[in-house]
Amino acid sequence: MAVCARLCGVGQSRSCRRRQRNNQQDQGSDSDMDEEEGEQIVGQRKTETGSRGGPGGVVATAGQSDARDYGSGHINRSCRDPTPSTGPPHPESLVDLPPELLVEIFSLLPGTVLPNVALVCRKFRQILNTETIWRKRCMEEFGMNEDLRKMEARGVSSQDLYVKLLHPYRHILGLWQPDIGPYGGLLNVVVDGLFVIGWMYLPPHDPRVEDPMRRRPLFRIHLLDCKKATVECMYGHRGPHKGDIQTVKKDEFSTKCNQTDYHRMPGGRQEEFRTWLEDEWGRTLEEIFHEHMQELILMKFIYTSQYDNCLTYRRIYLPPTMPSDLLKPGLFKGTYGSHGLEIVMLSFHGTSARATKLTGDPNVPAGQLTLDVDLSRPVILPELEQQRKIEELSQIVMRIHDEVQGEAEQQASGASATGRCAAEGACGGSSGAEAEEGDRGAASDSCQSGPEESNHSDDPLPFVLPLGVMARNEVYPRSCRKCFYGTGLIAGHGFTSPERTPGLFVLFDEDRFGFIWLELKSFSLYSRLTDHLDHAHAPSMERFEAMLRNMQSWTS
């Protein structure tokens, strides 16, 4: 603010400008123009006569009057060249620039700093009323183009749209996870036409994992009355109604419905349940023959409907992309048996690939690490006929699993032995370090031998599920690129007795992968979520990893 004031030659405060003006008057300055005349209205053109005629004279008059009024810097009129200039004078500050040039300059500034620019002087404040500036801000910062013409046809200016709607609610744009117990969810808040809308993303109907995502609006914010932004709840089947949004703290906000009677249906809870079931699962309860699945569905309806769209949301980010990643990280839809389809986030961390649940179930809730894949331990599949035997595949995976557990035990025992030696101060430090280095070297050798064998070719390899392994979706790829050892998280109802069980991670292509749960004899197929998601990329890998830790703590 002070830098901007110095550039404009207006001083740091109004009182400071008055003192400078009084000093100039005491020194014989013939300027008696008051402050109100000095801060002339932007774009006002005055026709002058005499030696100042022409366009250059208009700019010179405005610039000199502003300079005299604001006491521009350290310039003294008595030191100026008395010889009159025949050409346009050089601007001595930003205030002296033509209004059209200032409009171009201000149009390049971020909208968040324009309020500070308006505080510099009245001339700047009046220039900031130019629609061109705010139209460009709406287009560059929020991607609005054709929608601006619709708003202007309704009598809403680009400045009102930016100042009253887009700027106040910019902090809720992006991806969010609702706090709905173990079920979680995925909310995407976007500028959609003339509204800011919160879309709840729902997986396709089970088991069609490769179908596109479904969207349901939960709330919207608009400026249709031209006075202030209006928040409306979109939950239920009776149209928009009054709602509210509150910012709890950074990266967290809450929604509230002020007319929950709009969520009720004439047929009572039975009609609400049938409508919810058809929307959530695409079928009726009579078409679901599995008794355990019926119980899970009814439990989810009772739990989620009690919130009435009064929810708290926490910000989530898309994982950063690195050149060394096995495939592009992102969001995927996956099959989880009787729980239906769920959304996971695939990210890479060194030699590890991790899939974190964004939606969950009563056994393994949202936010938990559902898959942990060791990319340093590839698995070479046997011939196609041998792949059909579950015993053959289990033997290969369990051999790697035993090696991983053995190395973990050696590292734990080596660390405890090193701790005892350090405490006693009696053992040679070099022997402990050599032993630890030897363990690391052995582990490194075992990890490096596999990738050299498996990465020599990216040609598709034949793949088939072993007999006895249940697949929710029988239509799966019959060829794969690579396979790796990994573990999956399983637990009892209520996330009791959680444990990691060994399995096989199968990479089919850039948009699909699978996981064979050996203990459950089950196969999960995952397909990439292809929707374009703005305002969702993580600022850094550190922020993303901190978000993952927080997600696990929310549901642990």
Side-chain angles (χ1 to χ4, degrees):
M1 182 63 192
V3 173
C4 195
R6 288 195 297 271
L7 286 173
C8 302
V10 299
Q12 296 185 357
S13 66
R14 190 175 298 273
S15 60
C16 180
R17 294 196 297 267
R18 289 199 181 98
R19 287 195 298 270
Q20 293 177 354
R21 183 180 59 192
N22 294 335
N23 291 336
Q24 291 179 352
Q25 291 176 350
D26 293 341
Q27 293 172 4
S29 173
D30 60 348
S31 172
D32 57 355
M33 183 178 297
D34 60 16
E35 186 171 344
E36 295 296 328
E37 295 174 349
E39 298 173 341
Q40 296 186 12
I41 298 177
V42 174
Q44 181 179 358
R45 302 287 184 174
K46 293 186 177 181
T47 305
E48 296 192 3
T49 60
S51 61
R52 294 183 179 180
V58 175
V59 177
T61 303
Q64 291 174 4
S65 62
D66 284 344
R68 289 195 301 267
D69 180 57
Y70 290 109
S72 4
H74 54 276
I75 298 175
N76 193 328
R77 288 177 56 90
S78 61
C79 298
R80 293 181 179 177
D81 186 1
T83 305
S85 176
T86 58
H90 295 289
E92 298 174 354
S93 67
L94 286 178
V95 177
D96 297 336
L97 294 177
E100 58 271 16
L101 185 56
L102 289 175
V103 168
E104 289 298 324
I105 294 175
F106 294 164
S107 298
L108 301 176
L109 298 177
T112 54
V113 305
L114 293 182
N116 290 336
V117 176
L119 297 177
V120 173
C121 65
R122 181 172 300 175
K123 179 175 182 178
F124 284 10
R125 183 166 63 252
Q126 291 167 341
I127 285 182
L128 288 176
N129 290 327
T130 307
E131 275 291 284
T132 305
I133 299 174
W134 301 101
R135 187 180 298 114
K136 189 171 183 178
R137 289 299 92 219
C138 292
M139 293 172 59
E140 293 189 357
E141 296 182 21
F142 300 98
M144 302 190 70
N145 194 359
E146 295 296 330
D147 300 323
L148 292 177
R149 296 185 176 90
K150 298 178 182 178
M151 291 294 294
E152 291 172 355
R154 293 173 176 262
V156 180
S157 66
S158 299
Q159 182 176 3
D160 285 340
L161 181 66
Y162 189 97
V163 173
K164 298 180 181 180
L165 178 65
L166 300 179
H167 182 74
Y169 291 98
R170 73 192 186 283
H171 61 280
I172 69 171
L173 298 178
L175 292 181
W176 304 82
Q177 186 179 41
D179 185 7
I180 316 179
Y183 299 104
L186 178 63
L187 179 81
N188 187 26
V189 184
V190 298
V191 178
D192 194 338
L194 308 180
F195 303 89
V196 173
I197 301 184
W199 293 101
M200 179 68 80
Y201 276 64
L202 304 174
H205 291 140
D206 182 55
R208 300 193 295 268
V209 68
E210 297 196 33
D211 284 0
M213 295 286 289
R214 299 175 294 126
R215 299 193 309 172
R216 177 192 303 162
L218 291 189
F219 64 85
R220 71 179 187 180
I221 315 168
H222 61 81
L223 197 67
L224 299 182
D225 60 0
C226 305
K227 296 181 180 179
K228 63 177 182 178
T230 302
V231 180
E232 293 178 333
C233 175
M234 302 292 290
Y235 188 78
H237 298 269
R238 296 173 57 185
H241 45 283
K242 293 181 180 180
D244 190 21
I245 290 180
Q246 297 179 348
T247 302
V248 181
K249 54 184 178 181
K250 184 181 179 181
D251 294 336
E252 185 175 318
F253 75 95
S254 298
T255 59
K256 180 182 179 182
C257 177
N258 298 330
Q259 293 177 295
T260 55
D261 55 299
Y262 274 71
H263 305 169
R264 308 284 82 87
M265 302 189 73
R269 297 289 282 176
Q270 291 185 353
E271 183 181 359
E272 293 173 14
F273 175 66
R274 285 195 299 268
T275 304
W276 175 87
L277 184 61
E278 292 177 1
D279 185 39
E280 188 84 7
W281 291 84
R283 64 184 79 174
T284 63
L285 194 62
E286 291 74 22
E287 296 173 338
I288 302 174
F289 302 104
H290 199 287
E291 183 177 352
H292 178 59
M293 193 172 181
Q294 291 181 351
E295 294 176 354
L296 292 174
I297 292 174
L298 184 60
M299 183 187 308
K300 184 175 183 179
F301 169 75
I302 295 174
Y303 192 96
T304 57
S305 61
Q306 66 180 339
Y307 286 92
D308 267 337
N309 204 26
C310 299
L311 298 169
T312 298
Y313 299 88
R314 299 182 179 94
R315 183 179 293 280
I316 58 178
Y317 298 110
L318 291 178
T321 302
M322 303 296 291
S324 59
D325 292 342
L326 181 65
L327 70 159
K328 183 180 178 181
L331 306 183
F332 290 79
K333 306 152 286 185
T335 56
Y336 279 86
S338 57
H339 297 293
L341 300 186
E342 299 184 6
I343 306 174
V344 303
M345 176 185 292
L346 179 68
S347 58
F348 294 91
H349 310 262
T351 60
S352 176
R354 300 171 186 171
T356 304
K357 280 191 171 186
L358 297 185
T359 62
D361 51 72
N363 290 70
V364 179
Q368 296 301 314
L369 182 63
T370 178
L371 301 180
D372 191 0
V373 183
D374 191 343
L375 301 179
S376 66
R377 300 183 184 276
V379 175
I380 301 177
L381 294 177
E383 297 296 329
L384 202 60
E385 289 302 320
Q386 297 297 320
Q387 291 183 33
R388 299 182 184 273
K389 301 178 181 179
I390 185 65
E391 297 81 7
E392 183 73 18
L393 183 61
S394 297
Q395 184 178 3
I396 296 175
V397 175
M398 290 307 298
R399 186 184 306 121
I400 301 178
H401 183 66
D402 294 339
E403 292 178 0
V404 172
Q405 287 188 323
E407 293 176 3
E409 292 175 358
Q410 290 180 2
Q411 291 180 359
S413 61
S416 60
T418 303
R420 288 195 301 270
C421 292
E424 295 173 359
C427 71
S430 60
S431 61
E434 290 172 0
E436 184 178 356
E437 189 66 28
D439 293 340
R440 290 179 180 175
S444 175
D445 293 341
S446 65
C447 293
Q448 293 177 358
S449 60
E452 292 179 358
E453 298 176 359
S454 63
N455 291 343
H456 70 280
S457 175
D458 286 336
D459 295 335
L461 305 173
F463 173 81
V464 65
L465 285 176
L467 298 176
V469 173
M470 296 179 295
R472 195 74 181 170
N473 193 335
E474 297 181 359
V475 181
Y476 62 89
R478 292 305 193 270
S479 64
C480 66
R481 293 184 182 179
K482 299 177 182 179
C483 297
F484 297 91
Y485 160 82
T487 60
L489 181 62
I490 61 175
H493 187 82
F495 199 41
T496 57
S497 305
E499 61 173 319
R500 306 208 67 86
T501 180
L504 182 68
F505 176 88
V506 185
L507 175 62
F508 295 115
D509 51 44
E510 283 294 319
D511 297 323
R512 293 177 297 179
F513 65 87
F515 190 80
I516 300 178
W517 308 73
L518 293 179
E519 183 175 335
L520 303 179
K521 293 185 178 180
S522 176
F523 172 72
S524 293
L525 177 64
Y526 300 84
S527 177
R528 185 182 297 276
L529 192 154
T530 58
D531 298 67
H532 183 69
L533 304 173
D534 292 322
H535 306 281
H537 296 283
S540 63
M541 193 64 185
E542 292 75 15
R543 288 281 296 274
F544 177 76
E545 292 179 345
M547 179 209 70
L548 289 182
R549 292 190 296 268
N550 292 334
M551 288 177 62
Q552 295 183 13
S553 66
W554 297 339
T555 57
S556 296

